[in-house]
């Protein structure tokens, strides 16, 4: 048996090819790891894909890194279609809370946030119908300032009311990979968050699984943002 029996058609030995592939895989993981580490916000897979060598599947690379970090004090976690490093859940108690952490939400704000999370896309009028009371603009402002709620679009109904939905920061803050990870009816009961005397026909809706506009929603335009007070006339952001 000759040495060239172990060579490929291009003359490269099979062992050398395996080593080369392994080195390329390690380099791709190092690039992805550096991109996430250097960002203060979750990094999208699309952004990672654009910066990896051609031919690499960003999702597969991130899953390998996730497994590598699983037993460490810092974990790589998926947040919607993005990735971020976060303190391991069992070590969170040793980390001093940031003094600038979002202030504790009022009961009204928690109710509104829960309704938006489970019922999105939802309008303010629909939130008030579910709660049975009016929702102050201040409550929505608190949720938007926290970065957990956003304007999605405008409903194709008379008056074209604005629809609301949650954000990637909402998922990140509450440790959710996606909206399907929101607790269900039994989990909420077990946590004592639902009364034992809830109606027999009561159910928790399945939240929307993506950010795409529904058939009865139109996208938010610049004119809409001006009308909502988010942009000054002419397109300049208000201070």
């Amino acid at each position: 048996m000759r040495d060239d029996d172990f060579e490929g058609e291009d003359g490269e030995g099979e062992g050398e090819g395996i080593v080369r592939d392994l080195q390329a895989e390690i380099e791709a993981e190092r690039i992805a790891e550096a991109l996430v580490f250097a960002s203060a916000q979750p990094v999208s897979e699309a952004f990672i894909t654009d910066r990896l060598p051609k031919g690499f599947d960003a999702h597969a690379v991130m899953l390998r890194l996730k497994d590598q970090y699983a037993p460490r004090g810092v974990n790589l976690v998926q947040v919607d279609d993005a990735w971020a490093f976060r303190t391991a859940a069992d070590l969170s108690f040793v980390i001093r809370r940031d003094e600038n952490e979002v202030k504790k939400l009022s009961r009204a704000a928690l109710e509104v946030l829960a309704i938006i999370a489970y019922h999105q896309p939802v309008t303010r009028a629909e939130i008030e119908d579910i709660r049975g009371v009016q929702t102050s603009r201040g409550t929505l402002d608190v949720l938007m300032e926290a970065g957990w709620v956003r304007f999605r679009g405008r409903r194709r109904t008379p008056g074209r009311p604005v629809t609301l939905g949650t954000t990637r920061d909402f998922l990140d803050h509450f440790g959710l990979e996606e909206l399907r990870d929101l607790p269900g009816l039994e989990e909420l009961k077990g946590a004592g968050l639902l009364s034992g005397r809830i109606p027999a026909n009561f159910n928790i809706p399945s939240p929307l699984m993506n950010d795409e506009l529904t058939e009865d929603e139109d996208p938010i335009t610049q004119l809409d943002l001006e009308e909502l007070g988010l942009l000054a006339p002419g397109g300049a952001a208000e201070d």
Side-chain angles (χ1 to χ4, degrees):
M1 184 175 292
R2 303 190 309 274
D3 289 343
D4 57 8
D5 288 336
F6 294 95
E7 294 181 353
E9 295 180 358
D10 58 359
E12 180 182 61
E14 182 178 355
E16 293 179 357
I18 293 175
V19 171
R20 188 184 299 275
D21 290 344
L22 180 59
Q23 290 175 335
E25 185 176 291
I26 293 174
E27 185 63 15
E29 291 176 358
R30 292 179 67 239
I31 292 172
E33 183 179 35
L35 290 171
V36 178
F37 180 80
S39 175
Q41 301 295 327
V43 180
S44 70
E45 280 191 9
F47 182 87
I48 295 170
T49 297
D50 288 343
R51 285 151 181 81
L52 289 181
K54 289 184 178 180
F56 278 94
D57 180 348
H59 189 68
V61 170
M62 301 312 293
L63 288 178
R64 289 198 297 272
L65 281 174
K66 180 181 180 180
D67 288 341
Q68 294 172 26
Y69 274 92
R72 301 182 185 178
V74 173
N75 295 158
L76 181 64
V77 299
Q78 186 172 0
V79 183
D80 196 11
D81 63 346
W83 294 84
F85 283 118
R86 294 290 180 262
T87 303
D90 61 327
L91 297 178
S92 59
F93 71 96
V94 302
I95 305 299
R96 183 177 179 180
R97 290 185 176 275
D98 190 339
E99 294 179 357
N100 294 322
E101 185 180 8
V102 178
K103 64 181 180 180
K104 186 176 181 180
L105 295 180
S106 66
R107 182 180 179 85
L110 285 172
E111 289 177 356
V112 171
L113 181 60
I115 291 170
I116 294 173
Y118 284 99
H119 291 264
Q120 59 186 302
V122 62
T123 66
R124 181 172 173 176
E126 290 166 343
I127 293 171
E128 293 176 346
D129 184 55
I130 293 170
R131 293 186 67 218
V133 296
Q134 288 191 337
T135 299
S136 71
R137 177 59 187 266
T139 298
L140 289 174
D141 286 345
V142 167
L143 297 175
M144 289 189 171
E145 287 171 6
W148 297 342
V149 168
R150 65 183 178 88
F151 293 124
R152 283 177 48 93
R154 304 204 79 154
R155 187 70 52 79
R156 293 176 182 173
T157 56
R160 298 184 67 244
V162 175
T163 56
L164 299 161
T166 53
T167 66
R168 180 183 292 166
D169 284 346
F170 165 80
L171 296 176
D172 190 20
H173 182 86
F174 290 98
L176 305 171
E177 288 190 6
E178 53 189 357
L179 287 173
R180 73 173 73 248
D181 294 328
L182 284 166
L185 181 59
E186 294 305 317
E187 292 173 293
L188 292 174
K189 283 182 181 178
L193 297 177
L194 288 179
S195 167
R197 300 175 60 184
I198 59 176
N201 61 347
F202 179 83
N203 63 80
I204 301 267
S206 298
L208 195 69
M209 287 298 106
N210 57 60
D211 288 336
E212 294 181 5
L213 296 176
T214 58
E215 293 183 356
D216 65 346
E217 285 181 288
D218 287 321
I220 292 281
T221 67
Q222 180 173 310
L223 289 177
D224 292 327
L225 293 177
E226 291 178 4
E227 179 183 329
L228 295 169
L230 300 182
L231 285 180
E238 288 189 343
D239 295 333

